[in-house]
Protein backbone atom coordinates (compact mmCIF):
# COMPACT_ATOMS: atom_id res chain seq x y z
CA UNK A 1 0.00 0.00 0.00
CA UNK A 2 1.05 3.61 -0.53
CA UNK A 3 3.46 2.52 -3.24
CA UNK A 4 3.59 6.00 -4.75
CA UNK A 5 4.62 7.61 -1.47
CA UNK A 6 7.36 5.06 -0.81
CA UNK A 7 8.76 5.16 -4.35
CA UNK A 8 8.79 8.97 -4.36
CA UNK A 9 10.36 9.18 -0.89
CA UNK A 10 13.14 6.69 -1.69
CA UNK A 11 13.72 8.29 -5.10
CA UNK A 12 14.55 11.63 -3.46
CA UNK A 13 17.31 10.20 -1.25
CA UNK A 14 20.84 10.19 -2.68
CA UNK A 15 21.48 6.66 -1.41
CA UNK A 16 18.31 5.48 -3.18
CA UNK A 17 19.49 6.44 -6.65
CA UNK A 18 21.49 3.36 -7.71
CA UNK A 19 18.46 1.06 -7.56
CA UNK A 20 15.78 3.68 -8.29
CA UNK A 21 14.65 2.29 -11.65
CA UNK A 22 14.63 -1.35 -10.58
CA UNK A 23 12.84 -0.46 -7.32
CA UNK A 24 9.91 1.29 -8.97
CA UNK A 25 9.34 -1.59 -11.40
CA UNK A 26 9.57 -4.21 -8.62
CA UNK A 27 7.26 -2.27 -6.30
CA UNK A 28 4.61 -1.69 -8.97
CA UNK A 29 4.81 -5.37 -10.01
CA UNK A 30 4.29 -6.43 -6.39
CA UNK A 31 1.48 -3.88 -6.05
CA UNK A 32 -0.23 -5.44 -9.08
CA UNK A 33 0.42 -9.00 -7.85
CA UNK A 34 -1.35 -8.18 -4.57
CA UNK A 35 -4.39 -6.96 -6.58
CA UNK A 36 -4.27 -3.35 -5.44
CA UNK A 37 -5.67 -0.85 -7.91
CA UNK A 38 -3.31 1.04 -10.14
CA UNK A 39 -2.15 4.55 -9.33
CA UNK A 40 -3.53 6.71 -12.12
CA UNK A 41 -3.44 10.44 -12.70
CA UNK A 42 -7.25 10.67 -12.66
CA UNK A 43 -7.30 11.51 -8.96
CA UNK A 44 -9.85 9.03 -7.60
CA UNK A 45 -7.31 7.24 -5.42
CA UNK A 46 -5.96 10.52 -4.03
CA UNK A 47 -9.50 11.66 -3.19
CA UNK A 48 -10.17 8.60 -1.01
CA UNK A 49 -6.65 7.86 0.26
CA UNK A 50 -6.73 7.31 4.05
CA UNK A 51 -3.18 8.70 4.29
CA UNK A 52 -3.83 11.68 2.03
CA UNK A 53 -1.22 10.76 -0.60
CA UNK A 54 -1.42 13.72 -3.03
CA UNK A 55 -1.86 13.41 -6.78
CA UNK A 56 1.59 14.90 -7.46
CA UNK A 57 3.15 11.96 -5.60
CA UNK A 58 1.15 9.51 -7.71
CA UNK A 59 2.25 11.41 -10.82
CA UNK A 60 5.89 11.07 -9.72
CA UNK A 61 5.43 7.30 -9.38
CA UNK A 62 4.06 7.14 -12.91
CA UNK A 63 6.93 9.29 -14.27
CA UNK A 64 9.51 7.08 -12.54
CA UNK A 65 7.82 3.92 -13.81
CA UNK A 66 7.59 5.15 -17.40
CA UNK A 67 11.19 6.36 -17.27
CA UNK A 68 12.36 2.99 -15.95
CA UNK A 69 10.51 1.08 -18.61
CA UNK A 70 11.86 3.30 -21.39
CA UNK A 71 15.46 2.94 -20.24
CA UNK A 72 15.99 6.14 -18.24
CA UNK A 73 14.30 8.22 -15.57
CA UNK A 74 11.76 10.59 -17.13
CA UNK A 75 12.16 14.06 -15.68
Amino acid sequence: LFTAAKVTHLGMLPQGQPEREARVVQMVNQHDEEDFGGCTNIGECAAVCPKGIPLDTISQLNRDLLGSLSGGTAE
Side-chain angles (χ1 to χ4, degrees), residues 42-60:
I42 295 171
E44 292 295 320
C45 50
V48 298
C49 181
K51 293 292 185 181
I53 307 296
L55 192 55
D56 62 335
T57 301
I58 295 165
S59 296
Q60 183 63 51

Side-chain angles (χ1 to χ4, degrees), residues 14-62:
Q15 62 270 37
Q17 296 307 307
E19 59 276 334
R20 181 177 182 170
E21 292 179 4
R23 179 189 316 109
V24 70
V25 172
Q26 290 168 353
M27 289 183 75
V28 169
N29 286 343
Q30 186 64 42
H31 184 246
D32 291 345
E33 226 176 89
E34 301 287 333
D35 267 343
F36 290 106
C39 292
T40 68
N41 292 330
I42 295 171
E44 292 295 320
C45 50
V48 298
C49 181
K51 293 292 185 181
I53 307 296
L55 192 55
D56 62 335
T57 301
I58 295 165
S59 296
Q60 183 63 51
L61 166 72
N62 290 329

Side-chain angles (χ1 to χ4, degrees), residues 21 24-25 61-75:
E21 292 179 4
V24 70
V25 172
L61 166 72
N62 290 329
R63 279 191 299 275
D64 283 354
L65 180 60
L66 289 173
S68 296
L69 295 175
S70 68
T73 302
E75 304 256 348

